[in-house]
Amino acid sequence: MTKVLLNDLTVRDGNQSLLATRMAKEDIIALVEALDKVGYNAMEVWGGATFDASLRFLSENPWEILREIRKAAKNTKLSMLLRGQNLVGYRHYDNDTLERFIRLAIENGIDIIRVFDALNDLRNIEYSMKFIKKYGGHCQAAISYTVSPVHTEAYFVDLVKKMADLGADSICIKDMAGILMPDAAYSLVKALKAVTDLPINVHSHTTAGLTHLVMLRAMEAGADMVDTVISPFSGGTSHIAGETIIETAKNMGIEVDYNEEALDAAYELADKIAQKYIDNGLYKARALVVNPKILQYEVPGGMLSNLMSQLQDQKMFHKFTEVLKEIPKVRKDMGYPPLVTPLSQMVGTQAVLNVISGERYKMIPNEIKVYLRGGYGKSPAPVDEDIRKKILKDEVVEERGEISSMPPVYEESKKEMEEKLGREALEEEVLSYIMNPQQAVLKPKEATEAKKPVSAATEKTEVVEFEMIIER
């Protein structure tokens, strides 16, 4: 009998996809305590947008949340999502910052770090992989799965071979938009199994309504691990329910380790917590609606729910479908980057601005300019030169320098932060400040005030507001 391991992503990706990462700390800890007894291979509890949201919207210290999660999880390995050289921010950081962050994450309780790059540019994850291994973490290298003329099965197989050479401990097929087709999942898992002995983990959002079939075919092909959430936080832009996978695996004759009584108890708790967020409006019913059009738009689950919230906040929800149609056009112009953080936010923001301004590329976020200069890495396919010229004019684009040449910013940032705090800053506080300089030094009351929406009174304000909301 074959066996499959289950990972639970409820308090990270379920939270991010359905609640725009607004789950309160007390609910996170309560869920972790309950889920810890089920028997999962690992629980993904940190990273992604949780770090940013803790500071920006919840007025909580993300490092303290991690420590409390570690205390609550006595039986289960903890995992996190890391954006390679972007860490949990939205630009490249120097290697000193990168190493400090990874060391502290592992010291504070993370066992497994799933690391990916939005462009599948391995230069952007090689140092992360090195530091994860250096400090004793399990390095799960993730391919950002997408579909385009250049993203073939052979492309992904070659990518995984290189990840294995860099020292990966396991591989994740990260289907952030839920666009992986069932037969493609079977074929890709089989192809990866033929070239590596590393465990294969399949991650697929349920946005398009395909994930039950995708996971069934992936398990048939020999997938070692699959990502799930507890059922009250499943479906729509989130993930498949662990309960569904358990029954599917049992029906297929595949062994799954779990404690049925603990799973039932976790369900009861999760159901009550979900109802609380339904009652206060944070749990968006629209995010649960299956959207097969995602196969065309390729928008990841976490981005889709936040895009809905953003347009509602700006009283522009009637532009939602128009924005979705614009996203693949922008993606093609940009050389088919996979739509995952931070590229999903950048492409999504540009699409929003194209629609609300009534003219394509009239307003340009600075991040798009940095991308076109090669600041985020190499685009999978060539960028549309007419678009590049319209945005950058006659600017000469130079080859990106080596990441290792980026100067350390820690000591300078520490000094800046201490001047604002009026006291000595902890290492974790400085790292928070480097990635979130405004939110990391706000007092709770000030942080609450900072959460209030800003009217898009000018073109500049409008760009900042849209970037801020989409990125969470």
Side-chain angles (χ1 to χ4, degrees):
M1 178 183 284
T2 56
K3 184 174 183 177
V4 68
L5 301 177
L6 301 187
N7 300 318
D8 181 84
L9 280 59
T10 302
V11 301
R12 206 289 295 173
D13 212 358
N15 174 20
Q16 184 170 326
S17 297
L18 297 180
L19 304 183
T21 329
R22 297 297 198 278
M23 189 181 291
K25 181 173 72 172
E26 58 267 26
D27 294 328
I28 289 173
I29 302 305
L31 276 172
V32 167
E33 287 179 341
L35 294 166
D36 179 54
K37 300 177 177 69
V38 174
Y40 293 108
N41 169 63
M43 291 187 291
E44 187 180 273
V45 296
W46 210 59
T50 63
F51 196 94
D52 176 282
S54 296
L55 292 166
R56 191 189 297 274
F57 301 110
L58 304 179
S59 302
E60 296 278 3
N61 177 357
W63 297 98
E64 185 58 34
I65 291 176
L66 174 57
R67 285 189 284 270
E68 291 192 33
I69 289 173
R70 180 69 278 175
K71 290 178 184 176
K74 297 178 171 55
N75 309 296
T76 314
K77 290 177 288 186
L78 300 181
S79 69
M80 70 164 290
L81 184 65
L82 191 78
R83 302 176 193 133
Q85 211 70 35
N86 290 172
L87 288 172
V88 288
Y90 304 94
R91 60 178 176 82
H92 281 4
Y93 299 95
D94 63 89
N95 277 345
D96 176 64
T97 300
L98 182 72
E99 181 171 3
R100 288 173 184 271
F101 186 94
I102 289 171
R103 172 176 52 78
L104 281 183
I106 292 171
E107 287 178 357
N108 281 282
I110 292 296
D111 302 293
I112 302 166
I113 298 183
R114 177 179 292 173
V115 60
F116 74 96
D117 176 62
L119 292 172
N120 289 315
D121 187 337
L122 296 183
R123 296 175 300 171
N124 293 333
I125 67 169
E126 61 176 324
Y127 290 106
S128 299
M129 295 177 71
K130 174 183 175 182
F131 297 141
I132 293 167
K133 303 286 286 185
K134 177 178 178 180
Y135 294 103
H138 175 107
C139 178
Q140 183 173 93
I143 61 175
S144 297
Y145 183 83
T146 189
V147 176
S148 82
V150 298
H151 292 96
T152 62
E153 183 177 284
Y155 168 93
F156 290 120
V157 169
D158 182 62
L159 192 66
V160 166
K161 287 180 182 177
K162 292 174 181 176
M163 288 173 165
D165 290 342
L166 286 172
D169 295 306
S170 61
I171 298 295
C172 176
I173 301 171
K174 180 176 169 59
D175 174 26
M176 57 280 176
I179 58 173
L180 179 62
M181 300 297 286
D183 285 349
Y186 180 90
S187 181
L188 181 55
V189 171
K190 278 287 189 184
L192 296 183
K193 284 285 187 178
V195 299
T196 181
D197 293 329
L198 295 177
I200 306 298
N201 191 149
V202 182
H203 169 107
S204 181
H205 286 256
T206 46
T207 316
L210 291 167
T211 309
H212 193 168
L213 295 173
V214 166
M215 292 305 190
L216 186 150
R217 294 289 279 152
M219 289 190 290
E220 285 180 339
D224 302 282
M225 296 171 277
V226 295
D227 286 352
T228 67
V229 293
I230 195 75
S231 55
F233 288 92
S234 68
T237 56
S238 183
H239 291 267
I240 194 166
E243 297 96 316
T244 301
I245 288 293
I246 288 169
E247 294 305 317
T248 301
K250 285 161 61 176
N251 188 61
M252 297 169 66
I254 296 174
E255 182 183 349
V256 185
D257 288 336
Y258 75 105
N259 182 310
E260 186 172 358
E261 184 177 334
L263 184 62
D264 289 342
Y267 166 80
E268 293 296 334
L269 174 65
D271 191 52
K272 291 178 183 176
I273 290 174
Q275 187 61 52
K276 181 178 79 171
Y277 290 103
I278 290 170
D279 292 342
N280 68 19
L282 279 176
Y283 197 126
K284 304 293 185 183
R286 181 67 186 259
L288 292 175
V289 177
V290 170
N291 189 347
K293 288 287 187 182
I294 292 303
L295 298 175
Q296 299 172 29
Y297 307 142
E298 301 192 23
V299 179
M303 177 184 168
L304 187 64
S305 59
N306 284 301
L307 184 59
M308 292 176 190
S309 296
Q310 171 185 348
L311 291 173
Q312 285 175 334
D313 291 345
Q314 299 295 320
K315 302 189 186 324
M316 292 184 181
F317 195 77
H318 61 287
K319 298 281 190 181
F320 181 61
T321 300
E322 192 177 348
V323 169
L324 288 181
K325 290 179 179 179
E326 178 65 11
I327 286 172
K329 297 175 184 177
V330 175
R331 179 174 178 250
K332 181 180 179 183
D333 293 341
M334 297 296 133
Y336 293 107
L339 291 183
V340 66
T341 303
L343 269 299
S344 55
Q345 286 80 1
M346 291 156 56
V347 170
T349 298
Q350 186 64 68
V352 168
L353 296 176
N354 286 356
V355 169
I356 66 172
S357 69
E359 179 183 334
R360 302 188 80 228
Y361 302 107
K362 179 182 179 181
M363 295 187 286
I364 314 294
N366 184 61
E367 288 81 2
I368 289 289
K369 295 179 182 179
V370 173
Y371 170 78
L372 293 176
R373 295 180 185 119
Y376 285 89
K378 184 179 179 181
S379 61
V383 170
D384 185 304
E385 282 303 320
D386 290 337
I387 300 298
R388 188 198 297 270
K389 188 170 180 61
K390 180 175 182 178
I391 294 173
L392 296 183
K393 311 300 182 191
D394 295 323
E395 179 180 329
V396 177
V397 178
E398 298 180 0
E399 185 72 21
R400 186 185 78 167
E402 288 295 320
I403 289 173
S404 58
S405 67
M406 293 178 67
V409 298
Y410 181 84
E411 293 301 332
E412 179 183 350
S413 299
K414 185 173 188 288
K415 182 178 178 182
E416 284 180 11
M417 189 180 195
E418 289 179 343
E419 288 175 356
K420 294 178 180 181
L421 290 175
R423 62 169 174 81
E424 186 175 352
L426 301 174
E427 185 179 22
E428 66 184 45
E429 292 177 315
V430 178
L431 294 176
S432 298
Y433 177 75
I434 290 171
M435 286 175 281
N436 302 80
Q438 182 182 11
Q439 289 75 28
V441 296
L442 291 179
K443 297 175 183 177
K445 182 178 179 181
E446 294 171 326
T448 301
E449 290 298 313
K451 296 174 197 174
K452 294 181 179 178
V454 179
S455 298
T458 66
E459 179 176 295
K460 182 178 180 181
T461 305
E462 195 168 45
V463 173
V464 171
E465 178 69 7
F466 273 105
E467 288 178 332
M468 182 184 77
I469 298 177
I470 287 184
E471 75 182 15
R472 62 191 183 220

